[in-house]
């Protein structure tokens, strides 16, 4: 897999035009565009098609958490949108996750699309106080619920992969070696996260909030894949 397909840019904006403009300028470094609650609330399902048209894989970070029937029905609608990834809260348990995965598959099948990968969100990376046993419980729920991956902090990837070696590990809270950690209590540099076994890295503010986002993206990329000067 190319490095850019392992990098997701978090488009946390309240305006689709602004998000598209940001996505376009970051395309050389990011193959995945993450749409979170803010952008989805502002621009709705059309966001997915517009970013797919720009050539991105779309990661819908909607963190579903509700009764299983509601999640199944919502996931069925989402499955037909063309996204590549969808997050669901693993805290909700295996039954809800399974309902979401089934819904995603039904929706994608009906639309003739490949089903998005369901990702169980284990512990929010802003949460520094989660008790240690919670990770295993949430990884197991994700496996049992049929998810293809999990979202966890870099520091949790090793333990998570011991429990679920085939799960894709998606890691937010990525920070360049120099810079602000914002509200991410358990952050890691991109290289640390990859060394720990992360498959997909989620990066937001260090790039989108930089005075020159393309320069920040290039520098971040360079930290992982230094260009050979010879
Ligand atoms: O700006 P920053 O790089 O902190 O962005 C991280 C993104 O990853 C945000 O969109 C946030 O919602 C998301 N996220 C997270 N922790 C999780 C799951 C998703 O920070 N466990």
């Amino acid at each position: 897999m190319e490095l850019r397909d392992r990098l997701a840019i978090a488009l946390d904006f309240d305006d689709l035009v602004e998000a598209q403009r940001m996505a376009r300028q970051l395309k050389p470094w990011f193959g995945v565009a993450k749409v979170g609650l803010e952008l989805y609330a502002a621009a709705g399902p059309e966001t997915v098609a517009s970013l797919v048209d720009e050539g991105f894989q779309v990661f819908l970070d909607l963190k579903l958490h509700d009764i299983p029937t509601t999640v199944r029905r919502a996931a069925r609608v989402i499955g037909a949108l063309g996204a590549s990834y969808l997050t669901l809260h693993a805290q909700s348990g295996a039954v809800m996750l399974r309902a979401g995965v089934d819904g995603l598959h039904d929706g994608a099948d009906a639309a003739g699309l490949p089903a998005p990968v369901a990702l169980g969100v284990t512990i929010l990376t802003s949460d520094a106080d989660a008790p240690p046993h919670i990770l295993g419980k949430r990884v197991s729920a994700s496996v049992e619920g049929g998810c293809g991956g999990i979202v966890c902090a870099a520091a949790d990837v090793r333990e998570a992969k011991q429990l679920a070696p085939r799960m894709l590990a998606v890691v937010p809270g990525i920070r360049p070696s120099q810079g602000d950690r914002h509200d991410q209590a358990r952050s890691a540099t991109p290289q640390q996260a990859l060394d720990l076994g992360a498959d997909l890295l989620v990066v937001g503010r260090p790039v989108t909030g930089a005075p020159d986002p393309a320069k920040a993206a290039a520098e971040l990329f360079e930290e992982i894949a230094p260009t050979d000067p010879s």
Side-chain angles (χ1 to χ4, degrees), residues 17-226:
V17 174
E18 203 185 335
Q20 281 170 322
R21 200 177 297 137
M22 182 61 74
R24 253 176 238 142
Q25 64 166 316
L26 297 176
K27 209 167 153 191
W29 304 282
F30 291 89
V32 183
K34 187 173 87 70
V35 176
L37 291 173
E38 186 182 3
L39 183 56
Y40 198 80
E46 282 156 44
T47 315
V48 179
S50 83
L51 290 164
V52 168
D53 287 348
E54 297 276 348
F56 289 95
Q57 294 180 63
V58 175
F59 176 163
L60 262 184
D61 189 12
L62 300 182
K63 299 190 178 73
L64 302 187
H65 175 130
D66 208 315
I67 59 170
T69 303
T70 301
V71 169
R72 178 185 294 106
R73 295 175 65 110
R76 199 163 67 79
V77 177
I78 292 167
L81 296 180
S84 299
Y85 303 95
L86 171 73
T87 50
L88 305 106
H89 267 296
Q91 185 187 356
S92 329
V95 173
M96 190 215 80
L97 293 169
R98 173 60 68 187
V101 170
D102 288 349
L104 271 183
H105 284 250
D106 285 355
D109 270 0
L113 292 168
V117 176
L119 302 171
V121 177
T122 57
I123 303 168
L124 293 177
T125 41
S126 56
D127 184 356
D129 304 318
H133 70 278
I134 286 289
L135 179 75
K137 219 176 142 185
R138 294 190 183 159
V139 172
S140 302
S142 303
V143 174
E144 223 181 297
C147 294
I150 51 153
V151 180
C152 67
D156 292 337
V157 173
R158 279 210 174 125
E159 188 185 335
K161 288 231 168 170
Q162 271 164 9
L163 293 164
R166 285 192 302 276
M167 281 272 187
L168 203 72
V170 178
V171 173
I174 298 298
R175 293 295 175 266
S177 37
Q178 318 282 328
D180 190 345
R181 287 170 53 184
H182 305 102
D183 53 354
Q184 295 287 11
R186 302 172 74 220
S187 59
T189 68
Q191 192 60 60
Q192 283 167 342
L194 291 173
D195 290 346
L196 288 163
D199 298 292
L200 179 64
L201 309 184
V202 177
V203 187
R205 290 162 292 178
V207 168
T208 56
D212 182 346
K215 181 165 171 275
E219 284 170 3
L220 192 100
F221 205 84
E222 185 74 9
E223 273 196 33
I224 320 171

